[in-house]
Amino acid sequence: MNSKIFVWVYLVALVHGVIFLTPVFCTGQGVNIGTPPIWNYSRKEYAAGTQNWDAAQDNNNLMYWANNDGLLRFDGTSWTSYPVSNHTIVRSIAFDGNDRIYAGAQSELGYFSPNVSGQLTYKSLVDLLPANNRNFEDVWDIVFNEGKVFFRTNRMVFEYDGKSFRTFTFNGHLDAMYNSPAGLLLQEESKNLHINQNGAFAPLMTIENLQSAITGIIPWTHDTILLTSLKHGIFYLLNKKCDRWQTPYDPILIEKRIYSSVPLSDHQFALGTSLDGLIVMDQHRRIYRHLNKQDGLQNNNILNTFCDRAGNVWLGLDNGIDCVVLDSRFTTIYPDKDLQATAYAAAVFKDHLYLGVSNGAYMAPWQPYYDPEEKSYFKRVENGEGQVWGLSMIDQSLMMGHHEGAFIIDGNTGNRISNEPGSWTYVQLADDYLLGGTYTGLVLYRKKDGEWIFDGKINGIRESCRIMVRDADGSVWISHPYRGLYQVKWSEEEKYDPEIKFFDINSGLPTNLNNYVFQITGKAVFGTEKGVYYFDKKQNRFLPDDPFNKLIGENHRVKSMKEDASGNIWYVTDQEVGLLVVDEYGLKKDVSKKVFPELNGKLVGGFELIYPINSEYVLFGAEEGFILYHHQNQPSKDSSLQLVFNGIRIMQARDSLLFGGYMQYGNKIISAEPQTLEADLNNLSFSFSATEYKTPSLIQYRTKLEGLEEEWSQWDSETRRD
């Protein structure tokens, strides 16, 4: 007897700590310093042709490209390639908003749509063309207009109404075809612009100084359209007038050649160039970003630019595909350019940003806008070459802790004030005295005639004093991660022989190792291997700080804590990088927690740097350069995290595909009736993915087979369930 089974499969995904809904931030323009995240997908990874000519996105957020080998699909995890009938290069694709993806190739045009098993299949439409029109060149553009589909070749335009074709033939070479707010525009012989009206293409205007192909249409204002051109920069179209849209960067735009363009949010637009990567222009006609191979692109020759619904900019390259997360709140700064040294120190002082790395100190103006064409904003601080450990603002001076000693930075110059080797950090004791931590103990600095000078060494401690803070009572706490904690009570009367006490596990610390001290709300707090502790003066012991530990975790190793100007507290543990957001409601404080998985594994172990610049920006020291975070609280919108099955197979001796991964709008599998399997066909494999492209490495899943399992699986990154 053949029994039958039914199994329901449930799937959820997690990204950024949010189930199903992931925040998509609509951030305004901020400081444009640094490089946004770039995800590279090589030909080896997607296993198809080298070049990618066009892009589209369906209702389930799956991405598609017109590739040399056919239609290329990406669901966030898996890549699949589908050839057209004659196996020629696919030059153009377009999604019709329902379930068809139209494609144009050489002497081939048609569409892909799913069959009853959810597999994309190709339907050629060439047989519907008159016999004398079937031998045509590449189809370079596909445009939907007034319920019809238009295909452009170099000499003809085909109009498809869903049943039959009309053919429009032109004497001159056809350069481009685009939808625009003005209507369907067609460019012939560079300077002649036609518009589709009343079922025909009629001359619109002649643009004498436009002598190359239009490569993109940018809606600019309610009555102005921008036209990007391959060799002559940008033009504007206003009513029936068209002329150059001049910018200070026209020589660059003309020289680099704009091969494609796409509008973005905030009145910005992206230009894909043939010679020098991606250029982003803003509403002030400035270059806002310029990213090329040096910044992380695989190739400088961009054939297509496409902005998806989440604001990511996809680049179809001459060799590969890149995804640029232009609206990311994280950018990476390399003050030493290609060296990309490890970051240890940061400060904003007198409207300049100072950064300290393992090969020296660098400075740049701290300003709202940086011209990307200047290429390098940073200058090396003179006498600052070598390992920089810290930058401290003390009494209107910028102090640098350096392997070679103590320095005061004046503008672009570091002036040594001590030959004592290995200076870490500084704490001001009084108006005229400064305590410095070095490789071999403590030193004292004194102010003379308004200048800090070396005064002498402190007796009683010869350990490395890398981490120091001043407590509310004036004492100084010093952390030695491998021994314990020191408390220094200094007075001018006994300035070289202060009272020094040592604390370890016998004083309440959970271990002698990895004890750190930080200053929060003016007081010393202590990070340990078992959460946050505070020092109880009455008991002369360290006790767990329960309010912090409830939020951060009492079993987590706390490695860094930093308070910003708003009273929020940034922290780093062995598990996460996070922020405790403090909201005050009268006498009551409400504290919430936010975690940043994007930073996991990127900070410098044991030297975690968090530097809040202001209420909007925070710098993190990374193993390679600095990570700048834009922290401005702005309205955000939630967009559904799309989850798709990209394949269901019967894993028997005969491998059989039940479902090929394509879903119609609304995630409905195209099938006449539920599929029923024989009982012996019980070895099933489900593959799935979330179409989230900003931080793909952070997505995790869990599944449950209803009828077989009571509990959900654990969260993991596996995208297959057998």
Side-chain angles (χ1 to χ4, degrees), residues 41-43 46 50-52 298 315-322:
Y41 301 98
S42 67
R43 180 189 179 189
Y46 60 70
T50 304
Q51 296 169 309
N52 297 278
Q298 296 178 87
L315 307 179
L317 305 175
D318 191 53
N319 189 350
I321 295 171
D322 285 343

Side-chain angles (χ1 to χ4, degrees), residues 218-376:
I218 310 292
W220 191 241
T221 63
H222 68 282
D223 56 1
T224 302
I225 302 167
L226 300 185
L227 313 175
T228 61
S229 72
L230 179 63
K231 299 179 182 179
H232 296 88
I234 305 174
F235 290 74
Y236 72 88
L237 178 62
L238 175 61
N239 297 323
K240 290 191 176 182
K241 180 182 179 182
C242 187
D243 206 344
R244 291 188 181 275
W245 193 73
Q246 295 181 337
T247 80
Y249 303 95
D250 284 350
I252 295 173
L253 301 181
I254 293 170
E255 177 191 353
K256 303 306 181 183
R257 298 200 172 189
I258 304 170
Y259 199 87
S260 62
S261 63
V262 65
L264 308 173
S265 61
D266 297 323
H267 252 61
Q268 293 184 343
F269 54 90
L271 308 174
T273 73
S274 296
L275 302 176
D276 202 12
L278 178 70
I279 293 175
V280 177
M281 303 287 293
D282 69 10
Q283 70 269 37
H284 304 296
R285 306 192 190 201
R286 304 178 302 192
I287 292 182
Y288 187 75
R289 298 242 184 246
H290 191 169
L291 306 173
N292 53 31
K293 194 170 182 178
Q294 185 177 3
D295 300 297
L297 299 185
Q298 296 178 87
N299 194 288
N300 283 339
N301 188 356
I302 299 174
L303 303 178
N304 173 258
T305 54
F306 180 86
C307 184
D308 69 18
R309 293 187 185 90
N312 307 306
V313 175
W314 294 88
L315 307 179
L317 305 175
D318 191 53
N319 189 350
I321 295 171
D322 285 343
C323 178
V324 184
V325 189
L326 280 177
D327 63 351
S328 174
R329 295 195 174 198
F330 294 93
T331 57
T332 304
I333 301 172
Y334 303 111
D336 54 355
K337 299 182 181 179
D338 294 341
L339 296 179
Q340 300 182 8
T342 303
Y344 290 94
V348 172
F349 182 71
K350 293 184 178 179
D351 297 324
H352 280 78
L353 174 63
Y354 291 86
L355 300 177
V357 296
S358 56
N359 61 35
Y362 298 82
M363 66 170 292
W366 177 245
Q367 56 196 28
Y369 170 76
Y370 296 83
D371 188 344
E373 298 313 305
E374 292 182 7
K375 296 302 180 185
S376 179

